Amino acid sequence: MKEIKPEELKENPFTLIGKDWMLITAEKESKVNMMTASWGNLGIMWGKNAATIYIRESRYTKDFVDNGDHFSLCVLPEEMRDKLNYCGSASGRNEDKVSKTGLTVEHDGQVPYFAESRLVLVCRKLYAQELKADCFDEKAKGIIDACYAKGDWHTMYIAEVEKVLVKE
C-alpha cells in the first residue's frame, strides 16, 4: 500500500460509500472484527479531514469501535463483493468473519486493515452520539418509520482521517 494525502484522493464519495461500500474494521483484545457499511460521509469537520460512519447498537462491531481510539475504513475491489455481502449479513459474535472471508489482516501502527483493500482510510475517533427521534425535522419523520421501526438506532461517529492508503 502507498500513502497519499487525503486531498489527492480522486474517488467520488457518493460512489465510494453508497455503491462500492466499505468495511468498518476495528480491533479489541487482539481480535479484529469488521462490518459492511454503505452509509457515511467524507469531508471537512472542525478543520480536519473527516469521515462520518454510522453503526447500529445491535452490531457486534460497535463494541470494537467503542473500545478503541482508531478504526479503518477498507474499500475492497469489486471482485470481492461476495465478502462485503457476507460481512454485512454475518455477525462476529457467532463466527470469525476474518478467517471465514480469508482476508489478510495488516496493521498501520495499531490500526487493523485488510491487505486486499484497494483503499484504506485510517481514522481516529473524535466524536460519537446516538441519533434520536426528537432530533429529526418534522418533515423527515418518515425516515424513523423506514429506518428505525425496531428502535435499533445508529450511533454517529465523526473521525479524523489520519492516513489514506491506496493499492500500488
Side-chain angles (χ1 to χ4, degrees):
M1 302 290 284
K2 175 180 107 175
E3 183 176 356
I4 64 169
K5 295 178 183 176
E7 299 82 13
E8 296 173 323
L9 187 62
K10 302 292 187 226
E11 302 271 354
N12 177 320
F14 297 100
T15 302
L16 188 68
I17 298 166
K19 180 182 173 287
D20 296 348
W21 304 348
M22 59 191 166
L23 291 175
I24 299 171
T25 307
E27 189 166 7
K28 177 183 171 187
E29 299 169 359
S30 301
K31 181 180 179 184
V32 173
N33 194 62
M34 70 289 214
M35 64 173 270
T36 301
S38 62
W39 289 9
N41 309 79
L42 295 174
I44 305 297
M45 187 70 179
W46 303 308
K48 299 179 181 302
N49 296 311
T52 304
I53 60 167
Y54 303 87
I55 304 176
R56 288 188 190 272
E57 185 65 36
S58 62
R59 296 302 299 258
Y60 184 59
T61 304
K62 185 178 186 310
D63 189 43
F64 285 68
V65 171
D66 287 344
N67 185 67
D69 295 331
H70 289 81
F71 59 87
S72 67
L73 302 177
C74 301
V75 180
L76 299 178
E78 182 58 35
E79 60 267 18
M80 294 188 167
R81 177 66 60 171
D82 60 327
K83 295 179 188 319
L84 289 165
N85 286 325
Y86 167 75
C87 290
S89 62
S91 175
R93 278 188 193 94
N94 306 322
E95 55 196 276
D96 182 350
K97 293 195 301 186
V98 174
S99 65
K100 205 72 171 235
T101 59
L103 292 171
T104 309
V105 177
E106 299 283 343
H107 286 84
D108 183 85
Q110 298 298 311
V111 185
Y113 69 91
F114 297 106
E116 294 81 1
S117 302
R118 65 176 187 79
L119 171 67
V120 175
L121 303 179
V122 176
C123 301
R124 181 175 58 87
K125 288 188 317 187
L126 299 173
Y127 181 83
Q129 181 176 344
E130 184 177 297
L131 301 182
K132 299 175 184 172
D134 60 352
C135 292
F136 278 85
D137 184 273
E138 197 61 40
K139 295 175 184 154
K141 294 291 185 183
I143 294 172
I144 296 171
D145 293 336
C147 298
Y148 300 106
K150 296 179 182 174
D152 191 13
W153 291 90
H154 284 95
T155 297
M156 172 183 67
Y157 297 86
I158 301 173
E160 180 178 5
V161 177
E162 293 187 324
K163 196 176 279 189
V164 176
L165 304 173
V166 295
K167 189 67 102 183
E168 292 191 81

